[in-house]
Amino acid sequence: MASPESLTSAITRYYDFNGIFREGDELSFEEVDANLIEVAKALDQEYVGTARVFKIELDSYDEETYSCEIIVGFTLWPYEDDESEEELILKSVSDELEKAGFIQDDTYYLGDGPDIR
């Protein structure tokens, strides 16, 4: 039986990052996916000690145009994290994706889900 979520429960907030992936000449789905695993590890390392978990998933990728959708989920505590904390996390995600060769066009809020830790 699942326990009901309380106001003090952590949640996972999901965003959709749209853009293109440019690093090297031709990247396969598998190579881009491997780059995103490294991005998630870097974010986990950056936020070590904060009990945040990052889940980054390649939702779609076109190997001809390099356009892709990346779903990013991260831990939030609604009772203590304010909007500025969320913006800081989104900036960190954008920066790490950029380091991996992602050129961001747009970001959309997808919704909240249960804690993934």
Side-chain angles (χ1 to χ4, degrees):
M1 183 161 137
S3 61
E5 291 186 30
S6 70
L7 290 176
T8 60
S9 295
I11 61 168
T12 302
R13 180 141 300 159
Y14 292 96
Y15 281 87
D16 184 352
F17 286 73
N18 293 304
I20 60 173
F21 227 103
R22 292 270 186 199
E23 184 166 309
D25 292 335
E26 297 177 10
L27 291 174
S28 68
F29 184 94
E30 292 78 15
E31 291 169 319
V32 172
D33 198 41
N35 285 343
L36 295 179
I37 290 170
E38 295 305 313
V39 168
K41 286 180 184 177
L43 288 164
D44 284 337
Q45 199 59 26
E46 181 179 340
Y47 285 90
V48 70
T50 63
R52 293 198 196 280
V53 172
F54 291 86
K55 180 179 180 181
I56 301 179
E57 189 175 295
L58 185 58
D59 190 45
S60 66
Y61 178 65
D62 184 334
E63 292 185 14
E64 291 179 18
T65 64
Y66 305 107
S67 64
C68 61
E69 280 188 56
I70 301 168
I71 306 297
V72 176
F74 52 88
T75 309
L76 274 182
W77 287 269
Y79 66 94
E80 79 179 33
D81 290 337
D82 60 12
E83 193 175 302
S84 64
E85 182 70 21
E86 186 174 352
E87 288 174 13
L88 181 65
I89 293 169
L90 287 171
K91 174 81 171 103
S92 295
V93 170
S94 293
D95 291 348
E96 288 298 327
L97 286 171
E98 186 179 325
K99 287 179 191 175
F102 181 71
I103 301 168
Q104 184 176 327
D105 285 336
D106 221 343
T107 303
Y108 300 100
Y109 169 72
L110 293 176
D112 297 335
D115 187 6
I116 59 172
R117 292 174 302 134

